[in-house]
Amino acid sequence: MGKRNTIVVSSSSGEDKEDSTWSSRGNRSANSNLKSSKRSTNSKGAKKKARLVGLKSRTDSSVSDQLTLFCEDFDERFNGIKVPAGSLKNAHKQLWVDKYKPRSLDDLAVHKKKVEEVKMWFHERLRPCKDDCLNQVLIVTGQAGTGKSATIQTIASHLGAKVCEWNTPTPTLWQEHMHMSSSGLRYTSKLDEFENFVDRMRKYGSNSFIEGQSNSLSILMIDDLPPANGKLASGRLLNSLRLLVQSASIPTVIVVTDYGRADLPESSGRWLEELQSSLESAGACKVTFNPATTNSIKRVLSRICSQENCRATNEQIELIAKLSGGDIRHAISSLQYFSLKLDTVCYPSLISNNPSTYEKLISDEGNNRCLMPMGRDETLSLFHALGKFLHNKREAGAAFVSDQDAFVLNEKFARLPLKMDAPEKILFQAPEQARPITDFLHENVLDFLNDEAIDDSWTVAAYLSEADTLLASPNGFIFRNHEAENLSQSVAASVATRGVLFGNSCPVSSRWHSIRRPKLWQVDKSSSWNKHDLLKQRLDLREACSLPNSTVIATEYMPTLKRLNYAEATAPWTTMQDKQSGEDECDAMSIHGDERVESEDEIEDW
Amino acid sequence: MLWVDQHRPKTLDKMIVHQDVAQNLKKLVTEQDCPHLLFYGPSGSGKKTLIMALLRQMFGPGADKVKAENKTWKVDAGSRTIDIDLTTLSSTHHVELNPSDAGFQDRYIVQEIIKEMAKNRPIDTKGKKGFKVLVLNEVDKLSREAQHSLRRTMEKYSSSCRLILCCNSSSKVTEAIRSRCLNVRINSPSVEEIVKVLETIAKKEGLQLPPGFAARIAEKSNRSLRRAILSLETCRVQQYPFTPNQAISPMDWEEYIFEITSDIMKEQSPKRLFQVRGKIYELLINCIPPEIILKRLLYELLRKLDAELKHEVCHWAAYYEHRMRLGQKAIFHIEAFIAKFMSIYKTFLISTFG
């Protein structure tokens, strides 16, 4: 069983890279799994693995899912049309992402300094005379597609080191499980596999995985962590990682993909952060990769273009680079898809030899983002959305011009047009629910009102009150119908945001504002705590003969008791609430832990 | 021990106020089987005292030996089990609880407890199966579902348990429940009655009450007997011997709301509104119910207000009080009311004084 670890020995010199396999990334890694069976000692385990791989066409991460979709799309396109003679003829067998994998350090679209940093780290560890005090673990984090794995691979090949990869195993499907259990193979959890692997790594060192050549330099790369859900599983993962950090004997790189905050539920995002900081405290080194800059992506793209004889203009490349959001893999795939599109869509105009219409077509297409199928969905963080609503930017001066037909709006109700998308659209982009949005608006809106504008603050407060009423389920009924609930939620969010936008009739000129976390949440919590406390105190205090009502205790008994100087027995409210608020600050009760976030500049950017 | 608890009449015969009700109740339980009862009336009128005395009348001194316990009830709700924490007060003959403390899970708790009570019924001296009494407080705060399930359980288990319900307003109790109970309305004691009670207590405590002082306390108490007795005790601590025009201090939260109103009257701006919000949060943290905050706020504002504004302000207070009951977070609505008041008041000031 123990031999089933998916350790892959792939020589990084790049000779395999020319394999013309028509596969997505997920399959590619599976293929290298196959390859490893030829080389690694544990051929028995690898054989099992091979069978496994044969079954698994499903890819493991969402990124590769996307790519698979792309591939299907490619297939369709390729089957549907005759490929025009020329450049694509020989190349279409392979995805550009694989074909143009960086070979040298210069190819990398990662910032020079980062590359240098990682390189130095390896240098120090791979020197013949090692300092023992150096910790052997490096954590590389960054968003998807920023070239984390590629950098490691490239540097390793630059230094002439071997990379052993531990790939996150693909999840087992139910059918596979059924199939395998019939063949007598028992299911092991991926986490178990990982723990097992780490254990062996510690006990027997890297030699248990890598054949012979112990004198050659080798690097262990853990490409993404096995999935761990729930406290228990993540605790185990963390433990085994810490063990690895403390005891690694060869340079080990742990690649952690940083999912955008918006993509994940808050808790798991925070968990990843915790994991990283805990590993760091255990002695690991950490390097964060920033999203690739538009310029470096452009550089890569134009290099590919020139090699592929692709006729994308500079503007188009720039647009693709921008839309990719710093994800270079995405950008390259987009370029490949885009160059396909060029040929299919614009083929007629090319034939007619009319460059101007061609240009026009292209630029039309380029300008209209909706036509670009490969743009990433933009997401807004909660604070960006809030900033938009609170700052309430409007077109300056441009008076509201109404049609003759439209009824004339009373001046009192007329507002300048908004300098943003419709609030609903922004809400749609922001991942948050209606309730937190409303709470945040309520907490912060008064800061953004003019000092004199008490009427406005009433308008805003009135709309927020409406929104709250909408948010409450009628008569304490729990909605049985989710559609109805969703509708009332989105209506409430809409009322709250539009209310805030409309109510603030003369927004103050923008200046720096911090956005506070709603105090309301803390208040709710302490209040229910105190209520509990009160009841208990009351029951303790007297020879209870009747169950008191909390309202009466709070409004009548407690104040009297305080007056009567029973202060020792019953904590006065100030101390009680101090204690409470102290506790609350430690509690993770907020969706965004930090109380003061996002400076004005950041809000301005959007 | 507070005087309110110490001097609470233990038996129906010792009642000073509501003597007629007490006598009728006594007749009811001695002559025949007791029906379900629903006591309703304003706070501080003596409902609880009557109920305690009634229980004693029914079961003898055993009903006084109560113990409080905080129990977690495991309720089987269809597909899953729910754990509900609830404090109950029980003797061998009765159980008392505030089902509304369970929040939106209140409907399960009522059913579950009644079922359990029905299972272990006490056996009386004649070997006959007796019944237990379940005292439910704050029935008016129960959700509709809970009241509905309460009605069913009442019918099903009526042989093994009697319910005594207690609430402030019977209008929030469903018709179905009201018709299954004997409704007993407990009025607020009159000022004279309160004075009488205060004098009795003073006599027991050996205090000298100056003439008119008890009457003043009674007036201030808003006809709540509990409030009056608590005030008397406070005054005793603050200054004794009493003087006829001794200050009777309001509760601290009332003083705090007074402060808030003067803040509101002094300045009307978003900034001030924000400060006021902080103060209201303070009150909410200390479990002062939002309805009471709004009510008191209105009361204090009206005292300082010009007559021509009163109507409009009252209208908006009622409007937002209704909103508050429909909505979820009270602060949104209280704040909207304050903002509206500020807006009205500022317009008024500008039009009057330019």
Side-chain angles (χ1 to χ4, degrees):
Chain A
M1 245 330 114
K3 293 205 167 186
R4 283 189 53 226
N5 297 307
T6 20
I7 180 106
V8 180
V9 182
S10 64
S11 128
S12 42
S13 56
E15 87 242 40
D16 304 341
K17 303 281 153 56
E18 302 305 326
D19 280 15
S20 50
T21 41
W22 179 249
S23 65
S24 72
R25 190 183 135 72
N27 285 344
R28 185 183 63 82
S29 62
N31 278 330
S32 28
N33 272 341
L34 274 170
K35 260 176 266 154
S36 75
S37 68
K38 291 171 207 152
R39 296 179 196 183
S40 62
T41 44
N42 43 0
S43 56
K44 198 173 137 210
K47 227 180 254 169
K48 276 182 193 167
K49 195 68 212 171
R51 194 166 41 180
L52 251 169
V53 163
L55 291 167
K56 287 172 194 167
S57 57
R58 177 63 74 97
T59 53
D60 55 348
S61 67
S62 60
V63 178
S64 38
D65 269 347
Q66 264 178 8
L67 277 171
T68 322
L69 283 178
F70 262 125
C71 291
E72 281 161 14
D73 208 354
F74 272 132
D75 267 337
E76 267 168 40
R77 291 263 184 193
F78 278 126
N79 296 334
I81 55 146
K82 286 224 159 66
V83 183
S87 55
L88 280 173
K89 203 173 188 177
N90 298 323
H92 83 268
K93 284 280 187 199
Q94 197 183 6
L95 280 178
W96 291 1
V97 177
D98 294 329
K99 192 173 166 191
Y100 295 102
K101 242 183 156 9
R103 304 268 157 65
S104 68
L105 292 183
D106 292 334
D107 284 355
L108 286 170
V110 183
H111 199 274
K112 285 259 158 35
K113 272 186 192 155
K114 287 276 174 220
V115 178
E116 201 56 35
E117 203 179 327
V118 179
K119 210 173 94 185
M120 280 310 295
W121 188 85
F122 277 120
H123 255 308
E124 279 168 23
R125 267 95 191 151
L126 291 174
R127 266 182 319 193
C129 49
K130 272 185 209 163
D131 284 332
D132 282 340
C133 49
L134 284 177
N135 192 289
Q136 296 288 335
V137 176
L138 177 74
I139 307 172
V140 177
T141 67
Q143 281 178 22
T146 47
K148 299 180 293 291
S149 313
T151 308
I152 307 293
Q153 299 270 13
T154 319
I155 290 177
S157 80
H158 180 79
L159 297 174
K162 230 174 195 316
V163 175
C164 318
E165 246 183 276
W166 191 85
N167 274 329
T168 311
T170 46
T172 314
L173 295 177
W174 182 245
Q175 287 98 322
E176 292 169 18
H177 174 65
M178 294 310 284
H179 181 85
M180 289 200 305
S181 57
S182 67
S183 64
L185 207 59
R186 277 193 40 219
Y187 173 80
T188 46
S189 108
K190 305 304 169 202
L191 195 55
D192 283 344
E193 282 178 29
F194 184 74
E195 273 187 333
N196 215 330
F197 161 73
V198 170
D199 219 37
R200 279 159 46 90
M201 206 57 203
R202 286 173 48 228
K203 279 185 188 142
Y204 311 116
S206 56
N207 289 341
S208 57
F209 299 100
I210 305 156
E211 191 183 354
Q213 318 149 321
S214 51
N215 53 343
S216 79
L217 302 168
S218 51
I219 293 169
L220 176 68
M221 176 154 99
I222 295 171
D223 203 350
D224 249 346
L225 301 168
N229 287 322
K231 254 191 184 146
L232 202 69
S234 41
R236 277 173 57 196
L237 180 57
L238 185 64
N239 266 339
S240 64
L241 280 174
R242 283 185 73 107
L243 277 177
L244 185 68
V245 169
Q246 280 155 7
S247 61
S249 56
I250 59 166
T252 305
V253 181
I254 303 172
V255 178
V256 181
T257 307
D258 223 359
Y259 298 98
R261 268 177 163 256
D263 292 354
L264 278 185
E266 197 54 33
S267 55
S268 54
R270 188 175 292 161
W271 181 74
L272 275 179
E273 275 167 34
E274 267 170 32
L275 182 133
Q276 285 167 23
S277 61
S278 135
L279 291 187
E280 261 185 291
S281 69
C285 212
K286 183 178 155 186
V287 173
T288 310
F289 278 42
N290 294 326
T293 56
T294 315
N295 277 337
S296 56
I297 294 182
K298 250 168 75 184
R299 216 184 60 219
V300 172
L301 292 186
S302 27
R303 200 190 71 220
I304 295 175
C305 273
S306 65
Q307 284 182 26
E308 288 284 341
N309 288 330
C310 165
R311 290 168 299 258
T313 61
N314 251 344
E315 290 81 57
Q316 286 153 14
I317 288 178
E318 183 161 353
L319 190 64
I320 291 176
K322 257 188 199 149
L323 284 180
S324 70
D327 181 344
I328 186 131
R329 187 160 39 211
H330 184 94
I332 297 176
S333 308
S334 302
L335 182 70
Q336 189 174 12
Y337 186 72
F338 184 67
S339 68
L340 266 177
K341 266 194 88 169
L342 279 185
D343 291 314
T344 54
V345 176
C346 310
Y347 197 47
S349 57
L350 270 176
I351 289 185
S352 66
N353 251 340
N354 189 345
S356 65
T357 38
Y358 171 59
E359 285 294 307
K360 195 165 168 279
L361 254 172
I362 293 297
S363 62
D364 276 358
E365 201 173 320
N367 288 338
N368 193 347
R369 290 183 178 208
C370 306
L371 276 180
M372 299 278 280
M374 55 280 206
R376 284 161 74 109
D377 269 356
E378 279 180 63
T379 51
L380 286 174
S381 78
L382 174 67
F383 289 99
H384 285 140
L386 285 173
K388 276 178 181 252
F389 297 139
L390 290 170
H391 280 290
N392 198 2
K393 298 238 177 63
R394 290 171 185 276
E395 303 291 350
F400 185 72
V401 189
S402 60
D403 293 331
Q404 263 72 32
D405 301 338
F407 61 89
V408 182
L409 209 54
N410 190 326
E411 202 181 326
K412 201 166 68 170
F413 300 120
R415 299 279 187 275
L416 293 170
L418 285 173
K419 234 187 195 170
M420 61 175 104
D421 292 334
E424 287 75 21
K425 209 169 160 192
I426 298 174
L427 283 174
F428 185 72
Q429 285 173 340
E432 298 302 333
Q433 297 292 310
R435 184 83 247 180
I437 289 259
T438 315
D439 288 351
F440 266 103
L441 287 175
H442 170 251
E443 175 69 34
N444 292 292
V445 72
L446 289 180
D447 291 352
F448 291 84
L449 290 175
N450 207 320
D451 270 351
E452 296 298 306
I454 190 64
D455 290 351
D456 285 354
S457 57
W458 172 64
T459 320
V460 170
Y463 278 112
L464 287 176
S465 146
E466 308 270 353
D468 178 64
T469 318
L470 282 166
L471 279 171
S473 41
N475 299 331
F477 251 115
I478 302 139
F479 273 108
R480 305 253 149 65
N481 184 345
H482 283 289
E483 258 170 62
E485 191 181 358
N486 278 340
L487 182 67
S488 91
Q489 293 267 322
S490 41
V491 168
S494 178
V495 166
T497 51
R498 280 191 182 272
V500 166
L501 288 171
F502 169 78
N504 193 356
S505 65
C506 40
V508 276
S509 54
S510 40
R511 60 194 147 108
W512 193 87
H513 279 293
S514 58
I515 288 181
R516 284 182 306 267
R517 185 184 79 177
K519 201 178 164 201
L520 178 61
W521 299 342
Q522 190 194 319
V523 169
D524 278 355
K525 209 172 173 192
S526 346
S527 134
S528 66
W529 257 98
N530 284 352
K531 203 168 188 169
H532 201 79
D533 252 29
L534 280 180
L535 203 68
K536 225 167 64 198
Q537 275 177 30
R538 177 87 182 122
L539 283 175
D540 291 345
L541 195 73
R542 62 195 210 137
E543 295 79 57
C545 55
S546 153
L547 202 62
N549 158 336
S550 55
T551 308
V552 174
I553 307 174
T555 54
E556 295 184 17
Y557 285 124
M558 292 315 289
T560 314
L561 283 177
K562 231 182 303 165
R563 285 257 156 75
L564 297 184
N565 289 331
Y566 282 156
E568 296 87 357
T570 65
W573 76 353
T574 43
T575 56
M576 190 159 72
Q577 122 208 351
D578 282 349
K579 183 188 76 194
Q580 221 52 61
S581 60
E583 271 171 22
D584 283 333
E585 257 143 38
C586 323
D587 275 354
M589 56 176 282
S590 69
I591 51 163
H592 291 267
D594 20 15
E595 212 160 309
R596 287 163 185 282
V597 221
E598 304 294 301
S599 64
E600 159 77 353
D601 324 358
E602 264 175 87
I603 292 168
E604 290 286 275
D605 284 346
W606 287 75
Chain B
M1 200 192 235
L2 290 173
W3 289 356
V4 226
D5 302 320
Q6 201 181 337
H7 299 291
R8 190 192 289 269
K10 289 278 187 299
T11 59
L12 288 175
D13 295 323
K14 284 189 190 153
M15 299 294 283
I16 301 172
V17 293
H18 306 306
Q19 267 169 355
D20 46 341
V21 181
Q23 288 314 312
N24 281 338
L25 283 173
K26 192 178 171 188
K27 261 186 233 157
L28 186 76
V29 293
T30 44
E31 279 172 16
Q32 52 185 316
D33 201 7
C34 170
H36 297 309
L37 291 168
L38 169 65
F39 287 86
Y40 64 100
S43 148
S45 58
K47 301 180 292 293
K48 272 296 183 54
T49 311
L50 271 171
I51 292 173
M52 305 311 303
L54 181 66
L55 285 172
R56 197 188 157 99
Q57 182 72 43
M58 287 159 87
F59 301 113
D64 284 345
K65 291 188 190 104
V66 288
K67 64 173 195 299
E69 85 188 301
N70 199 343
K71 191 174 162 188
T72 306
W73 299 82
K74 285 202 186 306
V75 181
D76 187 31
S79 53
R80 67 216 160 93
T81 46
I82 307 171
D83 287 351
I84 304 170
D85 275 336
L86 205 67
T87 310
T88 57
L89 208 64
S90 53
S91 73
T92 44
H93 301 285
H94 84 283
V95 177
E96 180 180 354
L97 69 154
N98 293 347
S100 59
D101 284 350
F104 60 94
Q105 284 156 338
D106 50 4
R107 65 197 150 129
Y108 301 117
I109 203 76
V110 172
Q111 257 174 330
E112 200 59 26
I113 291 176
I114 295 182
K115 260 188 226 159
E116 190 173 303
M117 276 174 51
K119 262 187 235 154
N120 35 22
R121 290 156 61 175
I123 295 172
D124 68 6
T125 42
K126 289 168 203 145
K128 228 171 66 184
K129 275 194 173 172
F131 57 83
K132 263 192 163 186
V133 171
L134 177 64
V135 182
L136 295 178
N137 293 320
E138 299 176 310
V139 205
D140 47 353
K141 286 192 189 159
L142 281 180
S143 65
R144 288 214 160 259
E145 289 97 331
Q147 295 198 18
H148 196 75
S149 82
L150 178 62
R151 165 197 156 182
R152 291 266 166 247
T153 354
M154 263 162 104
E155 281 170 352
K156 197 170 165 193
Y157 297 103
S158 63
S159 60
S160 58
C161 103
R162 292 286 173 280
L163 291 179
I164 297 183
L165 311 177
C166 176
C167 63
N168 285 344
S169 153
S170 70
S171 65
K172 282 178 200 147
V173 180
T174 55
E175 200 68 51
I177 290 183
R178 271 188 279 162
S179 85
R180 280 168 178 75
C181 297
L182 178 69
N183 295 10
V184 186
R185 156 97 193 170
I186 311 293
N187 289 319
S188 287
S190 65
V191 174
E192 292 77 43
E193 281 173 315
I194 292 178
V195 171
K196 209 169 131 197
V197 173
L198 290 181
E199 278 165 354
T200 322
I201 290 175
K203 211 164 114 197
K204 277 192 200 158
E205 291 285 331
L207 303 175
Q208 288 293 318
L209 269 184
F213 182 59
R216 274 185 60 226
I217 292 181
E219 302 259 333
K220 281 256 182 180
S221 70
N222 200 18
R223 285 178 71 194
S224 157
L225 191 53
R226 172 176 45 231
R227 185 68 188 273
I229 299 173
L230 287 171
S231 300
L232 181 68
E233 195 173 358
T234 319
C235 291
R236 159 79 178 77
V237 172
Q238 279 168 345
Q239 186 188 347
Y240 187 77
F242 297 123
T243 52
N245 45 6
Q246 179 179 347
I248 300 162
S249 48
M251 299 292 172
D252 51 1
W253 59 272
E254 288 172 341
E255 281 171 351
Y256 202 66
I257 290 183
F258 179 77
E259 237 174 77
I260 295 176
T261 48
S262 45
D263 281 354
I264 296 174
M265 302 298 271
K266 254 182 238 151
E267 187 190 327
Q268 297 84 34
S269 71
K271 210 177 279 166
R272 182 50 62 95
L273 187 59
F274 184 71
Q275 289 163 3
V276 168
R277 180 200 292 175
K279 292 192 173 181
I280 301 230
Y281 276 153
E282 197 114 316
L283 287 169
L284 287 175
I285 286 178
N286 286 285
C287 307
I288 311 291
E291 305 87 54
I292 292 188
I293 296 178
L294 187 62
K295 215 162 133 186
R296 186 76 195 180
L297 203 58
L298 178 68
Y299 169 79
E300 294 285 358
L301 286 173
L302 286 183
R303 286 201 337 185
K304 297 181 181 179
L305 216 55
D306 212 89
E308 59 181 296
L309 289 182
K310 280 183 180 171
H311 172 252
E312 198 182 356
V313 170
C314 282
H315 164 78
W316 285 107
Y319 179 84
Y320 283 112
E321 211 248 347
H322 183 225
R323 271 297 152 86
M324 196 154 74
R325 292 194 190 271
L326 294 180
Q328 223 171 357
K329 310 255 168 148
I331 185 71
F332 281 65
H333 311 287
I334 295 182
E335 195 173 302
F337 167 68
I338 296 174
K340 184 66 191 174
F341 175 83
M342 282 181 167
S343 159
I344 293 172
Y345 190 65
K346 196 175 182 187
T347 325
F348 169 76
L349 284 183
I350 290 172
S351 67
T352 322
F353 304 108

